[in-house]
Amino acid sequence: MKKLFSDNIRGRPLLKLTLLFTGSMTVLAAAGITAAIPEIQNFFSNHENAALYSKLILTVPAFFIAILSPFAGQLIDRFGRKKLLMASLFIYALAGTSGLYLCNIYLLLLGRALLGVGVAGIMTVNTTLIGDYFQ
């Protein structure tokens, strides 16, 4: 029978939970806002492009994830997995909560772009760690 785990991960439940939760965070970046898009559009209805900008709130993070993920791989090699993961988690937390304290559609889009930056780092580190610890 082939081993699934390398010897580095056996007996390390926190590492396994970290990989599980960071993998889930990337999906939650889009899923958490999807239901609020109509309300965001209503809130900014006085803006002439409210429909477009409210839809961009959902798609901007994906654009930044796609553009920045290859560079995140280079940053992993340069600074290490843990440092990039911690920085990406900080960016994710800051940008993910930006909707609580920002009331400008352009700043919300900027916050969502930063969320994409955080997700790109988290996703890339998570995939790298899975490759490191699992066979």
Side-chain angles (χ1 to χ4, degrees), residues 59-118:
T59 58
V60 163
F63 176 74
F64 278 85
I65 292 167
I67 297 297
L68 297 176
S69 290
F71 300 108
Q74 293 175 344
L75 292 174
I76 288 171
D77 293 338
R78 186 170 189 177
F79 297 109
R81 289 148 175 72
K82 187 175 180 180
K83 285 183 182 179
L84 185 61
L85 181 61
M86 297 305 290
S88 298
L89 287 171
F90 177 76
I91 293 169
Y92 183 94
L94 182 67
T97 59
S98 64
L100 290 172
Y101 42 84
L102 297 177
C103 291
N104 181 317
I105 190 76
Y106 300 112
L107 292 177
L108 283 174
L109 286 170
L110 178 64
R112 297 295 291 173
L114 287 174
L115 183 67
V117 172

